[in-house]
Amino acid sequence: SQTIHQWPATLVQPVGSPLSLECTVEGTSNPNLYWYRQAAGRGLQLLFYSVGIGQISSEVPQNLSASRPQDRQFILSSKKLLLSDSGFYLCAWDWGTTYNEQFFGPGTRLTVL
Amino acid sequence: AQTVTQSQPEMSVQEAETVTLSCTYDTSESNYYLFWYKQPPSRQMILVIRQEAYKQQNATENRFSVNFQKAAKSFSLKISDSQLGDTAMYFCAFGVSGYALNFGKGTSLLVTP
């Protein structure tokens, strides 16, 4: 079976500090991977998605970047955090085929002070 | 571009009663998928039910069922015999093969004793 992990679960960072959130998927190969942000407990905003190693598409230009150094690893980064980066970050994956149900990780709650 | 609208930010239902959550979407695609996700207080996103647009029969999963009206671009979720554990945010999502899901802003459902 497939599982998706995210860490850390909770993070408190000062403004201007760097960020690295990691997501890994087990039990599948060549998945599509996604990073979402959920602010104020509301809707999901798609940040990045990847269809393969080194292939990253950005949906919203902002202070964040993403990388996919391995097939089942997806990293969300920032060189300098802003207050507005606070939120709940969700990683998700799907099979990349015609049936695009997404499976979500447990999320990371980021607070920038 | 596809849009998903959930017009009910908050709803409340008594235990054992039935509640219907509304969702409408806008698309020019003919083949697509629709989903309802549940996000309980733990914030783990859980798939509740899925519907393929080419299927006329409404999907059902135990106490959860949908009313899919393709011509009207409507996809409502009915929860029967509501339970306290159904308290959560519910997100409607639209997907086309090869693309990320589009989510509505969510409906917060409170089930009261």
Side-chain angles (χ1 to χ4, degrees), chain B residues 36-105:
Chain B
W36 278 98
Y37 280 88
K38 168 185 177 180
Q39 188 179 41
S42 67
R43 305 198 79 171
Q44 174 70 56
M45 291 284 283
I46 303 165
L47 178 69
V48 175
I49 199 165
R50 68 177 74 87
Q51 174 81 43
E52 293 87 346
Y54 63 86
K55 290 186 178 179
Q56 293 185 335
Q57 186 174 5
N58 290 324
T60 299
E61 289 287 341
N62 300 312
R63 297 183 295 107
F64 298 88
S65 61
V66 299
N67 184 6
F68 174 48
Q69 301 290 328
K70 190 172 184 178
K73 296 180 182 175
S74 171
F75 183 60
S76 61
L77 175 70
K78 185 172 80 171
I79 306 174
S80 304
D81 186 24
S82 296
Q83 300 175 359
L84 296 178
D86 295 333
T87 292
M89 282 287 288
Y90 286 82
F91 293 96
C92 179
F94 171 98
V96 175
S97 177
Y99 295 89
L101 294 180
N102 285 294
F103 286 86
K105 292 187 177 181

Side-chain angles (χ1 to χ4, degrees), chain A residues 21-100:
Chain A
L21 303 182
E22 190 164 343
C23 170
T24 58
V25 180
E26 297 178 353
T28 186
S29 59
N30 198 31
N32 288 347
L33 296 171
Y34 305 85
W35 277 113
Y36 292 90
R37 178 168 58 199
Q38 186 179 26
R42 300 303 293 182
L44 279 69
Q45 178 188 32
L46 178 65
L47 302 176
F48 302 95
Y49 69 94
S50 171
V51 299
I53 296 174
Q55 301 178 63
I56 309 294
S57 296
S58 174
E59 290 294 308
V60 181
Q62 54 198 327
N63 186 44
L64 302 170
S65 62
S67 62
R68 184 171 178 174
Q70 300 181 43
D71 181 43
R72 290 168 289 178
Q73 183 184 31
F74 205 21
I75 298 172
L76 183 69
S77 304
S78 174
K79 292 182 179 179
K80 290 185 178 182
L81 283 168
L82 306 173
L83 287 174
S84 57
D85 291 324
S86 292
F88 190 65
Y89 289 82
L90 285 160
C91 181
W93 73 274
D94 68 33
W95 296 105
T97 60
T98 57
Y99 193 81
N100 64 339

